[in-house]
Structure formats: structure tokens, C-alpha cells
Amino acid sequence: MFWQSLRLGATESGLGGPQRGVIPGFICLILGTGLSLSGTLASKAQYAPLANRSYNPWQYASFPVENFQTYTSGFGYRTSPTNGTRQFHYGLDLAAPLGSYIRNWWAGRIVELSDHTACGTMIRVQSGEWQHIYCHLMGRVEVYQGQRVLLDQEGGIILQEGQDLPVGARIGRVGMTGRTTGPHLHWGLKHNGEYIDPARVLQAMYLPAAL
């Protein structure tokens, strides 16, 4: 099963544990159709240590956005909010106030930066068999001395392709670049080249007993 295949934990990479977004244990996960979480609980999402959690290989992963508010669109078929057509949504949308920082889910290397697609300003990170994609970020991508660089000067973010990232690092800010109707992070995950439901990964991170 895919959640048993993470072999590059932060302890192995020597990067140490990140700060993680703690979501209450009774989060309601509706796989394939998105996630639901009461507004009160969502507003209390915060970063905290894991001293009270049993060990599992996912405990070093980082929740991908600060100031999380709610999930607005899950993985799977949906009606497009921009043109009304039925389409497959290859990720999970996490709403947060404009300018909220985005954190790197797992230690890895930046393999792509772009800002010319419906994804808007985007970062793609490779972590072994996994790829994680972050869309609709603030800032722009430029080419400097032959190297693609993401610049968000107001947020203090400067990244370049090929750069290694520790888990939990701030890598961008929630924006509205690309095709979007409101500020959110579109978070995509691939395992061995195939898209998977990020909700299942969050479930593995916070409800290991359920798997």
C-alpha cells in the first residue's frame, strides 16, 4: 500500500522533525469527495510537537499550509468553479488567508518552478518515489543566469530549481495566481508517477490506526 512506501523519513535525511499542523483526531475524512472539518476545529489548526502520538513513518511530514481554514475541493470529479464543466480535480484545495505561508510536506528537491499555467505560480518537489505540487502561490518565476528562480520578495521567499528543501520549510505563500476563484493552496501528490488522493495521506498522518 502506498502509505507504507515512505522510506526517506526526516530522521534518515538528518533534517529532524518539522513543525506540523495538528488536526483533531476526529477529523472527518471523506475519501474521493473531499474532506470536512467544522469551522471551529479548522480555526484551531496549529503547529505543535508530537509527544503524545505513537510512532509511525508519517509523523515527520508537515501539514502544508499555515492559518488553515477549510477544505474547499477534494480529489476526484467535480464541477469546475470557473467554467461549470465536469472535470477531474487532481489534488486537494486548502483555503487560507491570502499571504499565509506554505510549508514543504516532505524533505526533497525542487524539480520544477513555473508560473505560466492554470496552476499559477507553482513548485514541484521530488521526494524519492513521491512528488508534491503546490499551486496558486504568490510571486513569479524568472530565469537568472540560466536557472529558474521563484521570487516572492514581500514574503522573503527565493527558491531555485535543484534546491534541496527540509521538511516543514516555508516555501511560498497562498496567492491567487493562475485559474482560481479565491485564495487557497492546491496541493497535489504523485506516487511513482500516479496522482493519489492527498486526503489519504492526511489520514495516514493523523489517523494511523484507521489504516
Side-chain angles (χ1 to χ4, degrees):
M1 294 181 136
F2 74 84
W3 53 79
Q4 296 173 327
S5 66
L6 270 177
R7 304 187 185 95
L8 61 159
T11 52
E12 296 178 18
S13 66
L15 295 171
Q19 298 182 68
R20 298 179 59 225
V22 174
I23 299 180
F26 42 89
I27 180 175
C28 177
L29 292 162
I30 309 174
L31 302 180
T33 58
L35 309 180
S36 66
L37 180 63
S38 74
T40 300
L41 295 179
S43 67
K44 293 181 179 179
Q46 58 184 317
Y47 293 91
L50 293 170
N52 60 341
R53 294 186 178 274
S54 59
Y55 173 79
N56 78 83
W58 294 87
Q59 69 176 332
Y60 299 104
S62 176
F63 193 74
V65 67
E66 298 182 16
N67 304 317
F68 168 76
Q69 293 174 319
T70 190
Y71 303 97
T72 56
S73 189
F75 183 88
Y77 283 101
R78 67 172 186 176
T79 299
S80 170
T82 56
N83 60 27
T85 61
R86 183 169 168 78
Q87 61 181 208
F88 199 92
H89 185 232
Y90 290 95
L92 178 64
D93 289 349
L94 300 93
L98 196 68
S100 298
Y101 280 98
I102 293 164
R103 288 183 179 262
N104 185 38
W105 170 69
W106 204 271
R109 177 168 294 177
I110 299 173
V111 294
E112 183 183 358
L113 298 170
S114 73
D115 63 358
H116 62 280
T117 70
C119 197
T121 300
M122 181 273 289
I123 302 171
R124 188 184 303 268
V125 180
Q126 188 77 38
S127 301
E129 299 171 350
W130 294 80
Q131 268 192 8
H132 25 128
I133 302 112
Y134 308 83
C135 297
H136 309 305
L137 280 59
M138 285 186 161
R140 67 189 186 278
V141 175
E142 297 184 355
V143 177
Y144 178 71
Q145 295 183 348
Q147 188 75 37
R148 295 180 69 82
V149 178
L150 187 154
L151 299 174
D152 174 7
Q153 294 179 333
E154 289 186 5
I157 302 292
I158 303 176
L159 301 174
Q160 66 179 23
E161 286 184 350
Q163 180 175 340
D164 290 327
L165 297 172
V167 65
R170 285 177 165 178
I171 58 173
R173 294 189 298 159
V174 171
M176 287 188 61
T177 56
R179 190 172 62 205
T180 179
T181 58
H184 72 279
L185 167 67
H186 171 92
W187 185 43
L189 286 176
K190 280 185 171 183
H191 180 249
N192 285 330
E194 295 187 7
Y195 279 101
I196 63 165
D197 186 350
R200 300 183 70 183
V201 169
L202 290 179
Q203 188 178 44
M205 287 166 60
Y206 297 105
L207 293 177
L211 301 177

